[in-house]
Amino acid sequence: MLKIISYKICPFVQRVTAMLEAKQMPYQIDYISLKDKPDWFLDVSPNGQVPVLITENGTALFESDAIVEYIDEIAPPMHPGLSPEQKAIERAWSYQAAKNYLVQCSTMRSHDKATLEERAEKLSALFGNAEQQLSGEGFFSGAQIGNVDMAWLPLLHRANIIARHAGYDFLKGFPTVKAWQKRLLETGLAEKSVSEDFEKLFVEFYLSDQTYLGSGKCCDSPKVDVCKTGACC
């Protein structure tokens, strides 16, 4: 069985586990602390980062882009029959998402309004590009869920949690992206691809009193509406 070495709130890991879940591939997952990386992990991870995938023959694979390509090669593709050009386009759109995972992470950890708004502009540009690309129906490349959707799921999942708990909407002004987000979340893949305590850990880290989002000053929605769910504002 495939094994994933993970940190619980890492978006790069979620991209990999979401693809495994979408393809219904069995796997086991081991969680580590990035503050106290065990020696056995450092022995198999050349860059000291997660995710690492241990193949069935014991080979350690690293870098999420390489891992998802490997998964695509050992399992039937979600979009069979794509031309080389179409595959390249899908990889490019997937890369657009993955290279902004850390942008979103740093944005959510912003300590003040000015920093939040400055960093959020990069995400707005990203979501604006997706808004122009999406058809408004189905998923990114059509009626069937695919690799691009799995790459964007961590971004859209985290944006949903922030909107629910802090009242700040990263997708404000992008109705087509928001509809895509809703369809993706309705598949249940977001919850299946993370640990049971993911949302609790995520909120504790990104909505702590050390962050502007966690301070309750950032709400786009009226305080009373956001707090109906017991959120932080």
Side-chain angles (χ1 to χ4, degrees):
M1 183 181 295
L2 300 174
K3 179 192 287 187
I4 303 294
I5 303 172
S6 169
Y7 175 63
K8 285 189 175 180
I9 60 173
C10 174
F12 296 94
V13 172
Q14 188 180 15
R15 177 189 180 187
V16 171
T17 52
M19 176 170 280
L20 291 170
E21 291 287 347
K23 289 175 175 284
Q24 299 182 339
M25 297 177 66
Y27 64 97
Q28 67 180 80
I29 189 161
D30 289 343
Y31 297 106
I32 65 168
S33 168
L34 295 184
K35 291 182 179 180
D36 186 21
K37 300 173 185 176
D39 290 339
W40 63 262
F41 170 71
L42 295 174
D43 288 341
V44 300
S45 176
N47 59 7
Q49 298 174 349
V50 293
V52 169
L53 182 147
I54 309 297
T55 68
E56 293 182 350
N57 65 13
T59 301
L61 306 179
F62 63 105
E63 294 290 351
S64 61
D65 286 326
I67 291 172
V68 295
E69 288 188 19
Y70 169 78
I71 293 170
D72 234 12
E73 290 183 357
I74 65 172
M78 286 185 276
H79 287 163
L82 293 181
S83 69
E85 290 85 358
Q86 290 170 321
K87 290 180 181 179
I89 290 171
E90 287 209 345
R91 285 194 295 269
W93 278 103
S94 296
Y95 177 68
Q96 288 299 303
K99 75 177 184 178
N100 279 281
Y101 291 168
L102 296 182
V103 174
Q104 187 183 49
C105 291
S106 64
T107 302
M108 295 184 297
R109 285 288 293 176
S110 298
H111 296 296
D112 55 67
K113 182 178 181 180
T115 304
L116 174 70
E117 291 180 345
E118 179 183 355
R119 293 172 176 174
E121 286 181 4
K122 297 179 181 179
L123 292 175
S124 292
L126 174 71
F127 292 132
N129 288 337
E131 182 80 9
Q132 299 302 314
Q133 181 70 17
L134 291 163
S135 67
E137 299 179 1
F139 298 99
F140 189 89
S141 300
Q144 300 298 319
I145 203 164
N147 291 1
V148 180
D149 301 290
M150 297 304 94
W152 284 72
L153 179 61
L155 293 172
L156 298 175
H157 185 198
R158 284 155 176 75
N160 173 262
I161 296 173
I162 292 297
R164 286 190 286 107
H165 285 270
Y168 185 87
D169 190 0
F170 282 110
L171 304 184
K172 186 176 182 180
F174 306 116
T176 308
V177 174
K178 190 170 291 190
W180 175 37
Q181 177 197 49
K182 182 175 184 293
R183 287 189 291 272
L184 267 179
L185 295 180
E186 286 173 347
T187 67
L189 287 170
E191 289 79 12
K192 291 178 181 178
S193 57
V194 294
S195 64
E196 290 184 1
D197 57 352
F198 167 79
E199 188 160 328
K200 175 180 179 294
L201 296 173
F202 177 90
V203 169
E204 288 175 352
F205 185 70
Y206 287 108
L207 297 179
S208 73
D209 56 10
Q210 298 176 355
T211 70
Y212 182 71
L213 288 173
S215 70
K217 300 175 183 178
C218 58
C219 295
D220 290 333
S221 304
K223 179 177 180 180
V224 64
D225 290 339
V226 177
C227 288
K228 284 179 180 178
T229 59
C232 67
C233 287

